[in-house]
Amino acid sequence: MTHWSGRTPSASFVRISETSNKHHQEGPDFVRIQQSREFAELRSRVRRFVFPVSLLFFLWYLGYVVLAAYATDFMSRRVFGSVNVGLLLGVSQFVTTLLITLWYRRFARRRIDPQVAAVKSV
């Protein structure tokens, strides 16, 4: 067969005549796990935690950015020494991140890990 440009083809494809024998799969059956009720509950449980907490933290962060941009008088108000409201709110962003991480870790250990064990047994 000739290529449309007139050149000979660089590759030829031959029909595979052998039937492929699928050997027994080793490892988990991911399709069956994904369709199980336990997996659906696990996904739902994770989403019920992650989405609201992420939204709240995003709003908290956005509030900080808006205050920093438009409420400069408030953010520059001194609390003590050379520490102002903006600095305290900025540091509290890091503290909030740490607290959310610890909260999720506890949540995962108590609620998610047992559910994962149930999914693995499916």
Side-chain angles (χ1 to χ4, degrees):
M1 177 185 221
T2 313
H3 189 264
W4 62 268
S5 64
R7 300 179 310 189
T8 57
S10 59
S12 64
F13 298 95
V14 180
R15 181 179 295 261
I16 299 173
S17 59
E18 293 182 30
T19 59
S20 62
N21 293 329
K22 287 191 174 182
H23 297 287
H24 177 68
Q25 265 186 332
E26 291 184 23
D29 184 1
F30 292 112
V31 173
R32 186 174 51 104
I33 290 172
Q34 184 181 14
Q35 294 171 349
S36 71
R37 181 183 56 80
E38 291 85 359
F39 184 75
E41 288 175 11
L42 175 64
R43 270 193 353 225
S44 175
R45 183 170 286 172
V46 170
R47 287 178 180 168
R48 282 193 313 260
F49 181 89
V50 170
F51 289 146
V53 172
S54 297
L55 179 66
L56 287 173
F57 183 78
F58 178 72
L59 292 174
W60 160 227
Y61 175 74
L62 190 63
Y64 173 72
V65 171
V66 168
L67 285 172
Y70 297 106
T72 54
D73 291 337
F74 171 72
M75 295 293 270
S76 62
R77 186 173 297 154
R78 290 184 184 258
V79 178
F80 58 89
S82 59
V83 176
N84 60 20
V85 173
L87 183 62
L88 288 178
L89 290 178
V91 169
S92 67
Q93 292 281 319
F94 292 102
V95 172
T96 305
T97 302
L98 176 66
L99 291 175
I100 289 172
T101 302
L102 294 174
W103 184 22
Y104 179 76
R105 185 176 163 214
R106 181 173 186 249
F107 171 78
R109 190 174 47 246
R110 300 173 105 206
R111 304 289 174 122
I112 301 300
D113 292 348
Q115 190 73 28
V116 169
V119 168
K120 283 183 179 180
S121 68
V122 170

